[in-house]
Amino acid sequence: MSRRPGNPSRRYGDSGSGGGALFSSKSRSPPFLPIALIVLGGLAVFTYIHSGGFGAKKSASIRLEDDSSCTGELHRAMPVLRKAYGDIMHRVMHVGPDTCSVVSTLLKDEETEAWGVEPYDLEDADVNCRALVRKGFVRVADIKFPLPYRPKSFSLVIVSEALDYLSPKYLNKTIPDLARVSTEGIVAFTANMSDIHTGFPGQRTNKAADVSKFGRAAKMRSASWWKRYFGVTNVEINEAATNKFEQAAAKMSYTPSCQIFHLKAYS
C-alpha cells in the first residue's frame, strides 16, 4: 500500500510565507502527495483494465441479462428444470454463450456439480468467469467438433442459444455428440419461431434473429423442423421429461419464450 497522503491544508506551506514559499529552499519536503497520487492512479488503471474497462465489451457473465436471449430464458426456467429433473441435475454441463453465469447459478446448489462450454470467446470475461476457467469449470470449445469429454461424463446436458447458429452440416455432428456425453439426456433451448414478424423478405425483428455478437444470424426454425431433425440424428424426444417439465411449469406459472426440447441420451 502507498503511504497516506499528507494533509492537503499544508501543501502550500505556512501562511504568511507568500506564494513564493512553494519554490523556496525552505520548503523542500519529500513529495509524498505526488508519489501517493501516482501509486493510487496506477492501481486504479490496473484494476480498471482487468475488470474490462477502456471501451471493452461487457463481460460474458453479464451479457445474459438481455431478456430476449435463450440463455436468459434458461435462468428463468432453472427452478422448473430442478423440479422436473430432480436428482438428475447432480452433474450438469451447459453449452452456450454466457456459460459462466449459468455455471455459477448451478453451483449455488451444493448438491450440483456443473461445467460449461463457451462456444465463442471469453476475451471480455469478468474476474469471476476467469476464475471458473482457471479452475477448470468452464472452457472454450468449438462445438462444431467433438467435445473433449468421455462418453456419459454428465447426467444432463443443457444447451442454449448455440444450436440456432449451426447449419445442418454441423448439427449432424453436434447433436449426437451432446447425446454422447450425457447419461440422462439433453435440454435444448432454441429461438421461438413465433417471435418472427413478417415483412420484407428476410426481415426479422427478434433480437435473437439479428446478426449478433457472433457475427452471423441465428437460424430461425420451427418446433416441427427441430423434431424432424432430431429424428434424423437418431436422438429421440424424451416424452416423460417433457411431461414433467410442462406439469412443473404449469404449477409455477412459467411460460417460456424460447422453444425447449427434452431429448434422450444414447443408450
Side-chain angles (χ1 to χ4, degrees), residues 2-243:
S2 60
R3 299 185 61 176
R4 184 183 298 276
N7 187 342
S9 66
R10 300 180 57 187
R11 59 186 298 188
Y12 294 108
D14 297 332
S15 59
S17 61
L22 281 171
F23 305 98
S24 68
S25 60
K26 296 180 179 180
S27 62
R28 294 177 181 174
S29 59
F32 294 133
L33 180 59
I35 292 175
L37 290 175
I38 291 172
V39 172
L40 290 174
L43 289 173
V45 170
F46 179 86
T47 302
Y48 191 55
I49 291 175
H50 285 266
S51 63
F54 294 119
K57 299 176 183 177
K58 289 186 177 181
S59 67
S61 64
I62 293 176
R63 288 193 303 244
L64 67 93
E65 298 305 328
D66 178 3
D67 286 344
S68 68
S69 73
C70 282
T71 300
E73 183 66 41
L74 167 56
H75 279 265
R76 291 187 290 273
M78 195 70 73
V80 186
L81 287 171
R82 292 189 186 279
K83 182 70 173 177
Y85 281 89
D87 293 339
I88 291 176
M89 289 187 66
H90 70 275
R91 190 175 176 86
V92 182
M93 180 179 72
H94 172 256
V95 178
D98 305 314
T99 193
C100 285
S101 183
V102 176
V103 170
S104 295
T105 298
L106 288 167
L107 289 175
K108 289 179 181 178
D109 185 341
E110 295 181 354
E111 303 297 323
T112 300
E113 296 179 276
W115 291 265
V117 172
E118 170 65 55
Y120 305 102
D121 66 70
L122 289 172
E123 292 180 0
D124 304 319
D126 65 6
V127 174
N128 292 332
C129 188
R130 289 198 297 270
L132 289 172
V133 174
R134 187 170 58 253
K135 295 175 181 178
F137 289 107
V138 170
R139 67 168 67 197
V140 177
D142 190 338
I143 63 172
K144 295 192 298 291
F145 303 98
L147 294 172
Y149 298 106
R150 295 178 179 178
K152 302 186 182 303
S153 293
F154 310 97
S155 58
L156 189 68
V157 173
I158 303 174
V159 56
S160 62
E161 207 175 345
L163 300 181
D164 296 309
Y165 292 89
L166 297 181
S167 67
K169 172 184 176 181
Y170 293 111
L171 286 173
N172 282 337
K173 302 175 182 178
T174 300
I175 294 174
D177 198 44
L178 296 176
R180 175 185 67 84
V181 299
S182 171
T183 61
E184 302 295 335
I186 306 166
V187 181
F189 288 70
T190 68
N192 198 331
M193 281 289 293
S194 64
D195 289 334
I196 300 179
H197 297 269
T198 58
F200 294 105
Q203 180 181 3
R204 304 180 183 95
T205 59
N206 183 5
K207 292 181 181 179
D210 295 338
V211 174
S212 68
K213 56 182 174 289
F214 312 128
R216 54 191 178 277
K219 311 289 186 182
M220 306 300 286
R221 294 148 172 159
S222 67
S224 59
W225 188 95
W226 279 113
K227 290 177 181 179
R228 287 196 302 271
Y229 205 83
F230 293 141
V232 169
T233 58
N234 295 318
V235 176
E236 300 178 11
I237 298 292
N238 189 333
E239 298 293 350
T242 300
N243 292 335

